[in-house]
Amino acid sequence: AILSRHSYHPQLTVTDLSSDLRAYSELYRPRAERAGLFWETNIQPDVSVRTDYRHMRRAIGAVLDNAIKYSQRLGADKSIRIGLTTDAAVATITVADEGIGLSTADQKRVFERFFRSGDELTRRVTGSGLGLYLAREIIEVHGGHITLTSGGQGRGSTVEIRLPLQPESSEK
């Protein structure tokens, strides 16, 4: 069954997003390195949010999977950068790649169910068109927001996930 935010009820608990993001990242690092991609992380420590660990792993995994798939086609020596920063009330995860990028029109549709770009480079990469759709559904159920920006074809993409921080005074 396809996940829908209307039927999905996450088990949210206060988690250390910094630690979780490192763990999620390490699941994908070996595949990226086998493809000749540089894997860089810059993760701010001790960032607390409320997440459902398993589902957040699925959402971030879809983003990391796409970054690898759409970068490795361009050959070695490309980078994937994973970051985590905070401001007053929001944790921001960024996943930036130097992959094939997306046109402005495709950037607006990339989170739609079953969307696959019509671009020839994209069509060569296997996928269902559900990964980023599911990521968006999961992130929104967590009270967050996900966006993708790209400088255009051949210029890579950056996905940004914004999640509300867990206030310090709450349960720990």
Side-chain angles (χ1 to χ4, degrees), residues 19-91:
S19 174
D20 291 351
L21 185 57
R22 274 189 218 91
Y24 304 149
S25 170
E26 286 306 310
L27 294 172
Y28 290 84
R29 177 194 297 267
R31 197 171 114 222
E33 291 177 346
R34 280 193 304 273
L37 302 170
F38 293 109
W39 195 258
E40 302 172 26
T41 58
N42 185 11
I43 298 173
Q44 180 179 321
D46 304 317
V47 176
S48 293
V49 296
R50 289 175 59 85
T51 67
D52 178 314
Y53 180 89
R54 188 170 53 94
H55 290 285
M56 188 59 64
R57 181 181 68 205
R58 185 174 183 185
I60 293 172
V63 173
L64 295 173
D65 182 61
N66 275 5
I68 295 167
K69 283 195 302 193
Y70 294 108
S71 294
Q72 67 189 15
R73 296 289 177 173
L74 298 182
D77 301 332
K78 298 289 182 186
S79 292
I80 296 176
R81 294 174 308 283
I82 299 109
L84 174 61
T85 58
T86 60
D87 62 25
V90 175

Side-chain angles (χ1 to χ4, degrees), residues 88-156:
V90 175
T92 303
I93 298 167
T94 54
V95 177
D97 67 55
E98 297 175 333
I100 63 176
L102 283 168
S103 69
T104 303
D106 285 349
Q107 289 174 54
K108 294 175 183 169
R109 300 190 58 213
V110 73
F111 295 103
E112 293 175 11
R113 188 182 338 189
F114 302 121
F115 177 74
R116 298 281 318 247
S117 171
D119 177 77
E120 182 182 334
L121 283 173
T122 303
R123 290 287 180 196
R124 290 187 207 155
V125 177
T126 60
S128 64
L130 284 174
L132 291 181
Y133 164 78
L134 292 172
R136 186 197 73 204
E137 294 289 304
I138 291 167
I139 297 302
E140 288 181 357
V141 166
H142 281 77
H145 188 68
I146 184 171
T147 58
L148 181 145
T149 55
S150 174
Q153 293 176 334
R155 297 186 178 199

